[in-house]
Amino acid sequence: MAKVTLTFDNGPDPQATSLVLDCLARHGVKSTFFVLGQNVSTPSGLDLARRASGEGHWIGNHTWSHAGRLGEMTAEAALEEFDRTEEVLSWIDQCVQPIRLFRPRGGAGRMGRGLLHPAVVDRLTLGGYTCVLWNSVPGDFRDPDGWMDRALADCRTREWSLVVLHDISNGAMLHLDSFLSKLREEGHSFTQYFPLDCTPIVSGKVVQALDEFC
Ligand SMILES: [Zn+2]
């Protein structure tokens, strides 16, 4: 029995995001969607992000295009990835979602140097953002039918798992319903909050050394 936080990255996607939202609503689970700015810039993407927010999920900035690791870009390019996404998320009501969230692109869950760019770190600290990393990447993006066993194994062995899933159209989220049922059966509890060791910046305050990321 352990705590589980679910996050859904790289959406919104017309099919996958609606399916995920329906499933989370059925199970009464609240999560966070780390969206790509370019996907929210379309009318249907915006509708889905607003729907997620309206149903009590949190929305976080996951860069505009997911083009690369921020630390490997110029400061201008890294800031553009961040700022353009903030512009299309400016409708988020701070009364509804009091914490401003950002997750950098890892690339198959990779952390280490290059994950963050110092210029973006300045944005996060000045803007009071929380930077959300992860401790479970079961690989639903590359293994749509086999990710669930790895995700369950992580949730069984960790006191608090912060799981990265993806609301993208590869069919992986067709297994979300049975994943959630299994977690419940095994007595795990869901929370929308994040384990502190996965958040190097909390509300703009740096709480972990960032040298390993920049
Ligand atoms: Zn991503």
Side-chain angles (χ1 to χ4, degrees), residues 9-10 62 66 105 166:
D9 289 11
N10 298 15
H62 187 46
H66 214 254
R105 177 199 162 171
H166 297 81

Side-chain angles (χ1 to χ4, degrees), residues 8-11 34 36 62-63 66 103-108 134 164-166:
F8 298 90
D9 289 11
N10 298 15
F34 287 98
L36 300 187
H62 187 46
T63 75
H66 214 254
R103 170 177 275 170
R105 177 199 162 171
W134 51 81
V164 179
L165 297 174
H166 297 81

Side-chain angles (χ1 to χ4, degrees), residues 117-137:
H117 193 292
V120 173
V121 169
D122 286 346
R123 282 282 197 280
L124 300 177
T125 53
L126 292 169
Y129 287 82
T130 295
C131 178
V132 182
L133 304 180
W134 51 81
N135 62 22
S136 171
V137 182

Side-chain angles (χ1 to χ4, degrees), residues 10-158:
N10 298 15
D13 170 85
Q15 282 162 3
T17 307
S18 334
L19 188 149
V20 167
L21 285 169
D22 292 345
C23 186
L24 293 173
R26 263 199 314 281
H27 287 265
V29 173
K30 304 284 189 239
S31 68
T32 300
F33 288 82
F34 287 98
V35 299
L36 300 187
Q38 67 182 9
N39 291 349
V40 179
S41 69
T42 67
S44 64
L46 179 61
D47 280 351
L48 284 164
R50 283 182 180 276
R51 179 185 159 196
S53 175
E55 294 179 7
H57 303 289
W58 292 334
I59 309 293
N61 178 335
H62 187 46
T63 75
W64 178 263
S65 68
H66 214 254
R69 283 161 66 85
L70 293 175
E72 290 157 15
M73 298 178 187
T74 63
E76 290 75 12
L79 287 174
E80 194 183 333
E81 286 285 326
F82 182 86
D83 292 341
R84 282 182 83 185
T85 305
E86 281 307 293
E87 276 166 35
V88 295
L89 294 178
S90 60
W91 51 270
I92 294 175
D93 183 344
Q94 296 237 329
C95 298
V96 174
Q97 182 184 319
I99 49 173
R100 308 175 88 182
L101 300 168
F102 174 73
R103 170 177 275 170
R105 177 199 162 171
R110 196 157 55 94
M111 294 209 196
R113 214 160 249 282
L115 186 66
L116 292 170
H117 193 292
V120 173
V121 169
D122 286 346
R123 282 282 197 280
L124 300 177
T125 53
L126 292 169
Y129 287 82
T130 295
C131 178
V132 182
L133 304 180
W134 51 81
N135 62 22
S136 171
V137 182
D140 59 308
F141 52 91
R142 62 172 166 242
D143 184 9
D145 293 314
W147 62 271
M148 193 169 88
D149 289 339
R150 285 187 297 277
L152 284 170
D154 283 350
C155 295
R156 287 174 190 138
T157 49
R158 277 203 186 82

